[in-house]
Amino acid sequence: MITGHQGLSTRDLQLLEVENIQLYKGKIEIPGTKKSNAREIELKPFQLMEFMEYINEVRPKILREASKATEQLLLPIGRSFKLHNTVHKLAKKLKEINNSFTDIKQIRTSVITHRLKQYNLRKAQYLAGHKYISSTEKYLQDDLESLHETINTYHPLQ
């Protein structure tokens, strides 16, 4: 829903509450933590529809089945009481479908690297929620290593 597109960490997802989703403004407010800054991210139209369905239909069913009251937006499913366990199960299923997938952090890395190509360094830092610019700059290095691999693989003199 939002992890892949927005590059949110599992911790970001755990902190989200229903009030953080502003459907009429088309935005999501990501709370800050000790390690990350708060930020506001625009949602795409298809994400708005997904959130609307989740908030109005899916989430209430999960709450009824769990006999639980919480403002947490994303709820664990099954017997697990922690969202981290649910995300881990989803990652495991994704790996079965796609061998090149390694873990959830790979998705976040991919999104941040893409943002660095799309925006300037400061905007990418803001969207990633990094407190320090050096945290965002590390992703520039990741992109350079990827470029070197591609060049070495497809260079005509190889």
Side-chain angles (χ1 to χ4, degrees):
M1 187 173 4
I2 56 178
T3 307
H5 177 70
Q6 300 300 352
L8 302 179
S9 69
T10 303
R11 182 73 182 137
D12 290 334
L13 296 175
Q14 288 173 327
L15 293 174
L16 287 178
E17 293 186 353
V18 176
E19 69 182 25
N20 295 124
I21 306 299
Q22 300 176 358
L23 293 174
Y24 293 105
K25 290 183 179 178
K27 295 182 184 238
I28 182 171
E29 292 175 342
I30 313 299
T33 66
K34 288 180 183 178
K35 294 185 177 183
S36 67
N37 288 329
R39 63 226 186 253
E40 207 174 73
I41 298 176
E42 285 189 42
L43 294 169
K44 303 286 185 198
F46 72 90
Q47 290 173 315
L48 289 172
M49 298 305 294
E50 294 285 339
F51 270 117
M52 198 176 311
E53 181 181 348
Y54 175 77
I55 290 169
N56 295 327
E57 298 173 27
V58 177
R59 188 174 178 279
K61 286 180 187 175
I62 296 171
L63 286 172
R64 277 194 303 274
E65 289 174 12
S67 301
K68 184 177 173 179
T70 180
E71 288 304 308
Q72 186 177 349
L73 176 67
L74 301 174
L75 304 169
I77 52 175
R79 293 184 300 232
S80 174
F81 293 107
K82 295 185 178 179
L83 185 61
H84 177 75
N85 294 340
T86 300
V87 171
H88 179 72
K89 287 178 189 174
L90 291 171
K92 190 174 177 181
K93 291 281 186 194
L94 186 55
K95 188 166 179 98
E96 290 172 10
I97 296 168
N98 184 345
N99 294 359
S100 63
F101 175 78
T102 55
D103 60 16
I104 295 297
K105 289 180 183 177
Q106 178 186 17
I107 295 172
R108 180 169 164 76
T109 299
S110 174
V111 170
I112 293 170
T113 303
H114 177 72
R115 285 186 180 149
L116 282 165
K117 292 176 187 172
Q118 222 176 0
Y119 306 115
N120 66 43
L121 187 59
R122 287 291 179 190
K123 174 116 182 177
Q125 175 191 9
Y126 170 79
L127 292 170
H130 293 149
K131 284 194 179 220
Y132 305 104
I133 197 77
S134 59
S135 298
T136 312
E137 288 173 330
K138 287 191 288 189
Y139 292 89
L140 287 170
Q141 184 63 34
D142 287 347
D143 193 36
L144 281 174
E145 289 171 11
S146 169
L147 183 60
H148 285 298
E149 282 180 32
T150 304
I151 289 172
N152 288 337
T153 302
Y154 298 107
H155 194 278
L157 297 177
Q158 295 293 356

